[in-house]
Amino acid sequence: MDLTYTPEQEAFRKEARAWLEANVPAEPLPSFDIKEGFEAHCEWEKKLNAGGFAMVPWPVEYGGRGADLLEWLIFEEEYYRAGAPGRVNQNGIFLLGPTIMEYGTPEQRTRFLPRIASSEEVWAQGWSEPNAGSDMANIQTMAIRDGDDYVINGQKTWASRGAYAHWLFGLFRTDPESSRHKGLTFILARLDTPGITVRPIEKINGKRAFAEVFFDDARVPVANQLGKEGEGWSVAMATAGFERGLMLRSPARFQNTARKLVSLYRETVAAGGFVDGAVRDTVARCWMDAEAYALNTYQTVSKLMAGAKIGAEASLNKIFWSELDILMHETALNLLDVRAELLPGSPAAGDVGDWLDGYIFALAGPIYAGTNEIQRNIIAERLLGLPRK
Amino acid sequence: MDFDFSEDQRLLQETVKDFLEGECTAEYVRGLWDTQTGRSPEFWAKLAEIGVPGLMVPEQAGGLGMDERDLVLVLEETGRYALAEPVIGTVAVAVPLLVGLAESGERKLAESWLGRIAAGEAIVAVGHDRSPLVSDAHIADLLLLPHGDEIHAVDPGEVGLTAQRSNDQSRRLFAVDWAPSDRTRVASGQAGRKLVDAAFDRGVLACAAQQLGVGCQLIDMGALYATQRKQFGVAIGSFQAVKHRLANAKVQVEYARSLVYRAAHSVARALPTRAVDVSMAKAAAGEAATSAGKESLQVHGAIGYTYEQDLHVWMKRAWSLDLSYGTGAWHRARVADAVLDGRLPAESFGFVPPGA
């Protein structure tokens, strides 16, 4: 155990910092949940990719720089330090990309990975259906083979970024006789395929953050299946592992929020705002938890680099960061007092930052990527050995 | 950057674990409650055979010459098996304090004790500013007591001890009636302050590390019971309400673990953030272990509330460790003083804030 960076790691940090300082837009981009913001974020991703920083741990041939996971963490730290835009293609870069790397054919890697890195193709997820939420094995959308195509019928929902994305990945039932986890296949589908209709859904702040996707005899080439036919569940579990375990929410995100919370606390104290011991204690707690999350991630990365795999431990992560995110935003809104409800730009709002928007986003955390209740079941059953039934 | 333990460190942990699993059963722990000292010289001698007391004693003095990064895993195991012997005072705090005293001029004192500690022939009890009581003073061969910025090496034969009765029957706490003098003073001034502070932070780390083991044990006991106990025709562990309690406890313990291991590194390297790092570790680990106790009790139901069942052995250990070397609230306040008011050095791990 040695918690100091090597000179090479420090040099990498400097390089990333210099590039980001020179290139990050001075003004924050509009939300990627609106059309204009989505496009601005795609432009930013192109720039990031041209600089070689879109996905640093990927091999060079796919648009990465072959960095190790520690360097990825360092990059993420610098990314949040620089206040760089959110990753509009997070489904592609953090979830699908690693899955293609593990399960894709050489052709699929060459076809998809560089376009994910450049965000020329932005991805939505297609897991949930109206009757398959937490019970994902109840997926009913059928993809029936017909020659070199699958003919897909059914409906996916809650597809984040689905309103503007170009592609969707998800699980489809390719064996109509099958049930539960069997007979499912991981398929990649262009969202402009004839027979696919995307209907955006507004989230509670009115922005089109997600969508439902209807399939009506939509034909998708069999070549777009990822992994083997009928083995989609295990491919999807790998994707979910990346999502919950490491990539989706890197620690710098929460450390940065904790830092902003500490600043807000200090400003509130300086301005004579209401602060009591309980608020003070909670701010300290938030700081500690953000640290714990960062340290835990470094532990995980150290283990991965030594050849270990992440298993059900990923579920611990997902619960921890999603609940921490809510706590930090709630505490900030407490500190903002009456201004907490004012939208940015409202005359009396002053500098309310993006705490309200962040809070609304944080509230989704315990729901997406598998509800926290499902994560708790996984922990109990797979880490603590409790019976399923 | 490598935040993992080496194979040697894991091997040491396994050795201690195997030993304690065989020898330090709940029955054994409870058996000691009714003995006069509550401690066993024979057991301590066996711990010495596997190198525990001398873990951080320098090699030239007969020890293993390791540091807190090795010790932390061993302490975790002593918590898991509710070991009553004075590993925190003697092994985690007194040894490095004696090494520090040697460096500040008390070489003879250190030399006369370190070898004996490593051989399992001497127990040293240590006082600290967060408590007027000293643990294990009754079996100590030497007392190291702070007095302001000073440290005093006191012969236990020259003090008066008043035994206290703790809720944790394994604890042996004493009020020590003593008077500092020129004869007993072994460090003072700036050097003394540094040693007093470092010793305290080591005690904090040691409690936190034991809490990890205590917390894990409480969760494991709950999980085992929930697997065996049937109601409504099924194991109660199949109910989500039961699962989720234990899952929550597991989350808390695992994230406390990261803070504890980092604190071990900070102490071993004498980093400027040491005080804040150990405070974060203890606040988190204490809360994790005491919560695990509550959850496990609820999962056990009435049987867990009985004196006969062993659950309370670990519940009480979680409480008493939470009160040792500063309560969770005290440590969170120290974190707040550092992070919010800048009164102590604190920095985020890895992430460098803008402007820094």
Side-chain angles (χ1 to χ4, degrees):
Chain A
M1 184 192 295
D2 178 5
L3 305 186
T4 46
Y5 295 100
T6 63
E8 292 76 23
Q9 287 163 346
E10 294 288 8
F12 176 75
R13 183 186 292 284
K14 266 179 109 167
E15 187 190 346
R17 183 175 298 181
W19 190 89
L20 288 162
E21 277 174 1
N23 289 280
V24 167
E27 290 297 313
L29 304 180
S31 162
F32 55 48
D33 289 338
I34 57 174
K35 183 85 181 153
E36 172 204 1
F38 178 83
E39 280 161 8
H41 277 80
C42 288
E43 282 308 306
W44 160 250
E45 289 289 339
K46 286 197 181 76
K47 197 170 181 181
L48 199 55
N49 187 51
F53 287 104
M55 206 46 203
V56 294
W58 287 12
V60 178
E61 64 262 39
Y62 303 135
R65 51 173 68 208
D68 62 30
L69 286 173
L70 276 169
E71 289 167 323
W72 174 70
L73 283 177
I74 292 168
F75 173 76
E76 287 285 299
E77 287 161 5
E78 291 305 315
Y79 197 83
Y80 282 96
R81 180 183 199 270
R87 305 302 298 271
V88 68
N89 202 12
Q90 53 181 265
N91 290 327
I93 55 177
F94 296 142
L95 309 182
L96 180 62
T99 315
I100 290 181
M101 227 115 31
E102 197 167 325
Y103 288 94
T105 61
E107 295 73 32
Q108 286 174 329
R109 291 182 203 168
T110 313
R111 162 65 187 81
F112 291 108
L113 292 172
R115 290 181 176 91
I116 290 174
S118 67
S119 288
E120 185 184 334
E121 292 171 349
V122 174
W123 288 79
Q125 299 189 51
W127 307 123
S128 295
E129 296 179 3
N131 289 310
S134 287
D135 185 12
M136 199 168 88
N138 195 38
I139 280 172
Q140 299 299 331
T141 302
M142 295 287 169
I144 305 301
R145 218 165 156 153
D146 179 30
D148 290 337
D149 290 338
Y150 285 117
V151 178
I152 307 184
N153 280 286
Q155 181 191 349
K156 292 288 178 185
T157 192
W158 314 132
S160 293
R161 245 81 61 213
Y164 311 112
H166 311 108
W167 281 79
L168 173 140
F169 61 85
L171 275 189
F172 297 85
R173 196 163 293 283
T174 42
D175 176 1
E177 304 301 313
S178 68
S179 69
R180 307 299 299 162
H181 310 78
K182 297 189 178 117
L184 297 170
T185 301
F186 196 115
I187 295 174
L188 316 174
R190 282 190 73 98
L191 283 171
D192 60 2
T193 303
I196 294 183
T197 310
V198 177
R199 195 180 74 82
I201 303 172
E202 294 176 345
K203 66 174 178 177
I204 56 177
N205 64 2
K207 288 177 183 153
R208 295 177 154 196
F210 41 24
E212 48 189 348
V213 182
F214 298 89
F215 299 82
D216 187 12
D217 284 336
R219 297 187 82 90
V220 172
V222 170
N224 285 3
Q225 83 184 32
L226 188 59
K228 293 193 181 119
E229 185 172 286
E231 293 182 9
W233 185 264
S234 54
V235 183
M237 287 305 103
T239 311
F242 296 125
E243 181 171 32
R244 295 164 189 166
L246 187 64
M247 289 266 156
L248 184 65
R249 294 289 177 256
S250 69
R253 176 191 183 105
F254 304 104
Q255 288 174 297
N256 194 38
T257 306
R259 180 191 63 82
K260 288 198 284 187
L261 180 61
V262 167
S263 301
L264 179 63
Y265 172 89
R266 289 180 180 156
E267 287 158 19
T268 308
V269 170
F274 176 75
V275 170
D276 66 357
V279 174
R280 191 176 162 83
D281 189 67
T282 311
V283 175
R285 229 173 237 284
C286 289
W287 175 275
M288 281 173 52
D289 284 356
E291 284 298 283
Y293 184 61
L295 290 157
N296 189 275
T297 305
Y298 270 85
Q299 266 184 290
T300 302
V301 162
S302 296
K303 283 187 189 138
L304 287 172
M305 286 172 65
K309 294 236 176 229
I310 318 183
E313 294 82 6
S315 294
L316 297 164
N317 250 30
K318 203 257 154 173
I319 292 173
F320 195 79
W321 61 247
S322 59
E323 296 188 348
L324 168 61
D325 207 24
I326 290 179
L327 180 64
M328 289 198 288
H329 284 87
E330 270 173 354
T331 309
L333 294 179
N334 249 324
L335 287 165
L336 287 172
D337 208 315
V338 296
R339 293 188 299 141
E341 68 176 294
L342 299 181
L343 301 179
S346 179
D351 184 16
V352 289
D354 51 7
W355 288 111
L356 183 59
D357 219 32
Y359 179 56
I360 288 170
F361 186 79
L363 285 175
I367 302 171
Y368 64 75
T371 65
N372 286 11
E373 285 66 34
I374 294 292
Q375 309 303 334
R376 288 185 169 95
N377 289 351
I378 293 171
I379 292 166
E381 288 160 18
R382 290 175 52 199
L383 295 180
L384 302 177
L386 295 182
R388 286 184 63 88
K389 286 191 177 128
Chain B
M1 175 66 66
D2 177 17
F3 197 171
D4 203 358
F5 293 95
S6 67
E7 270 179 46
D8 284 351
Q9 286 167 324
R10 290 291 182 193
L11 195 67
L12 174 68
Q13 177 183 23
E14 282 303 310
T15 306
V16 173
K17 181 181 164 61
D18 290 347
F19 168 73
L20 292 174
E21 193 170 335
E23 304 267 335
C24 193
T25 59
E27 194 187 356
Y28 173 77
V29 171
R30 296 176 70 136
L32 280 179
W33 290 351
D34 299 324
T35 63
Q36 202 200 343
T37 63
R39 301 291 179 262
S40 161
E42 296 77 26
F43 200 96
W44 192 256
K46 287 184 194 169
L47 281 173
E49 277 171 32
I50 55 170
V52 172
L55 217 112
M56 294 204 293
V57 171
E59 282 174 282
Q60 64 270 27
L64 297 176
M66 294 178 168
D67 68 29
E68 283 78 5
R69 289 169 293 184
D70 309 286
L71 180 68
V72 71
L73 295 176
V74 170
L75 288 171
E76 203 176 316
E77 296 309 324
T78 62
R80 182 189 300 276
Y81 294 99
L83 179 70
E85 303 299 330
V87 282
I88 294 179
T90 302
V91 184
V93 182
V95 165
L97 178 54
L98 284 164
V99 171
L101 284 166
E103 285 161 7
S104 70
E106 291 287 340
R107 280 193 48 190
K108 267 179 76 179
L109 173 80
E111 276 168 12
S112 64
W113 289 101
L114 286 170
R116 291 173 59 200
I117 293 172
E121 290 160 6
I123 301 283
V124 184
V126 190
H128 65 82
D129 291 337
R130 287 302 311 159
S131 172
L133 306 176
V134 177
S135 188
D136 297 291
H138 64 314
I139 55 161
D141 301 291
L142 173 70
L143 298 170
L144 291 173
L145 302 172
H147 178 69
D149 291 343
E150 299 173 354
I151 294 173
H152 292 261
V154 181
D155 179 350
E158 295 177 4
V159 303
L161 296 181
T162 311
Q164 314 293 319
R165 292 178 63 222
S166 168
N167 173 58
D168 175 355
Q169 290 96 320
S170 288
R171 290 262 275 180
R172 290 295 187 272
L173 293 172
F174 298 86
V176 181
D177 183 18
W178 71 292
S181 71
D182 292 347
R183 194 169 50 82
T184 57
R185 187 187 307 110
V186 290
S188 60
Q190 264 194 339
R193 183 77 256 160
K194 274 176 81 169
L195 290 172
V196 169
D197 289 346
F200 177 72
D201 287 346
R202 287 199 174 91
V204 176
L205 169 68
C207 292
Q210 283 201 335
Q211 288 283 44
L212 292 182
V214 173
C216 282
Q217 176 69 8
L218 284 162
I219 293 168
D220 288 350
M221 290 172 92
L224 181 65
Y225 184 75
T227 308
Q228 294 169 342
R229 168 72 175 166
K230 288 195 170 163
Q231 285 288 272
F232 307 102
V234 293
I236 59 167
S238 64
F239 299 125
Q240 283 195 328
V242 171
K243 283 180 179 168
H244 291 190
R245 282 185 177 278
L246 293 172
N248 287 341
K250 180 74 175 163
V251 172
Q252 272 194 295
V253 169
E254 289 312 311
Y255 282 87
R257 181 186 302 286
S258 307
L259 289 169
V260 174
Y261 292 168
R262 187 268 292 269
H265 179 268
S266 301
V267 172
R269 290 283 175 88
L271 297 184
T273 56
R274 184 193 68 206
V276 174
D277 294 345
V278 298
S279 280
M280 291 201 276
K282 182 153 194 297
E287 192 166 32
T290 50
S291 308
K294 284 184 282 189
E295 302 295 14
S296 198
L297 173 61
Q298 187 66 19
V299 167
H300 277 81
I303 194 80
Y305 194 67
T306 62
Y307 193 76
E308 187 185 353
Q309 226 278 352
D310 292 326
L311 190 69
H312 68 99
V313 175
W314 279 270
M315 284 174 63
K316 289 170 179 172
R317 186 59 54 83
W319 300 340
S320 63
L321 284 170
D322 198 38
L323 301 173
S324 303
Y325 281 90
T327 62
W330 188 86
H331 283 290
R332 263 201 315 282
R334 192 156 80 146
V335 174
D337 287 349
V339 173
L340 305 182
D341 305 337
R343 278 185 231 149
L344 283 168
E347 52 188 56
S348 48
F349 186 81
F351 178 76
V352 185

